[in-house]
Amino acid sequence: MAEPLPLFPLHAVLVPGAALGLRVFEPRYLDLVRDCGRNGTGFGVCLIAGGEETGAAAMPMAWGTEARIEDFDTGPDGLLHLRLRGGRRFHVARTRVRDSGLVVADVDWRAPDPVAELQPQHALLGEVLRRIFDRLGEAGVHIPEPRFDDAAWVGWRLAELLPLTLPQRQQLLQEDDPDLRLDELLRLLS
């Protein structure tokens, strides 16, 4: 059964567990953030398939990730700055646009990734991720609990950190199988 979820279409792909900074200034999105804070809910982030981030409602891709607000502040520019964290993935069944211009989707939540050990053919990817974290050091990505032997976790962290194109990152987001996601990452790295 599809559930309604307000969307924030962006020229970015948010993957599960990833952090994303966002500046909010349009009334429709300020209202969205207020409602999320009041209700303790998140909203959907989808890559824009057509249109722009500001102005008229953009057409979102059919796959996205739930965004949860981790922190907020008013920036030096006077705008609301959010730090988001990617949660569950979803598939958009249909969308509608409210009078305010906010896109609301009926979404089907994807099953959580299974906890599965990194397969021997993907061991190189685990090592690449370790080296990325070593180079980032203290100033890098906050990792609450590294899981370098978990296939899904390694895949999502690489999808977050590697310099991929938006279509490449979107393709990884749409893949349900962690091992197939890692196979695609190996192909992209070779």
Side-chain angles (χ1 to χ4, degrees):
M1 172 101 179
E3 291 182 36
L5 183 69
L7 298 184
F8 202 127
L10 294 170
H11 288 296
V13 177
L14 179 64
V15 298
L20 179 67
L22 189 61
R23 292 182 332 153
V24 182
F25 53 90
E26 287 191 84
R28 61 183 160 181
Y29 296 126
L30 291 168
D31 290 345
L32 168 66
V33 169
R34 185 192 67 239
D35 292 346
C36 288
R38 184 181 305 141
N39 301 323
T41 57
F43 56 89
V45 170
C46 290
L47 179 62
I48 292 175
E52 296 300 324
E53 288 181 354
T54 59
M59 183 187 343
M61 295 289 283
W63 291 82
T65 303
E66 176 187 35
R68 291 288 185 158
I69 301 169
E70 282 191 331
D71 199 9
F72 62 92
D73 198 358
T74 302
D77 54 7
L79 300 179
L80 176 62
H81 289 231
L82 302 177
R83 186 177 71 229
L84 308 173
R85 183 72 56 183
R88 303 176 288 176
R89 294 180 314 128
F90 58 84
H91 183 260
V92 174
R94 66 196 139 272
T95 61
R96 59 198 170 281
V97 180
R98 291 186 179 160
D99 290 342
S100 66
L102 183 71
V103 178
V104 178
D106 292 328
V107 302
D108 295 310
W109 296 105
R110 306 306 297 163
D113 284 314
V115 176
E117 271 196 45
L118 202 60
Q119 298 298 309
Q121 68 269 27
H122 301 134
L124 171 67
L125 293 172
E127 186 56 33
V128 166
L129 185 59
R130 281 182 195 275
R131 290 184 183 182
I132 289 171
F133 281 129
D134 287 346
R135 289 195 180 203
L136 290 174
E138 292 298 317
V141 178
H142 171 67
I143 319 167
E145 182 186 326
R147 298 191 318 262
F148 291 104
D149 59 347
D150 180 333
W153 188 85
V154 168
W156 289 132
R157 295 300 58 78
L158 288 171
E160 173 186 11
L161 298 170
L162 288 174
L164 302 173
T165 65
L166 291 175
Q168 290 169 334
R169 198 169 275 120
Q170 181 70 29
Q171 186 62 40
L172 293 169
L173 178 66
Q174 294 176 199
E175 178 53 63
D176 285 330
D177 185 310
D179 288 323
L180 293 178
R181 203 177 298 129
L182 291 172
D183 287 344
E184 181 62 16
L185 281 161
L186 274 176
R187 190 189 69 72
L188 291 170
L189 286 174
S190 60

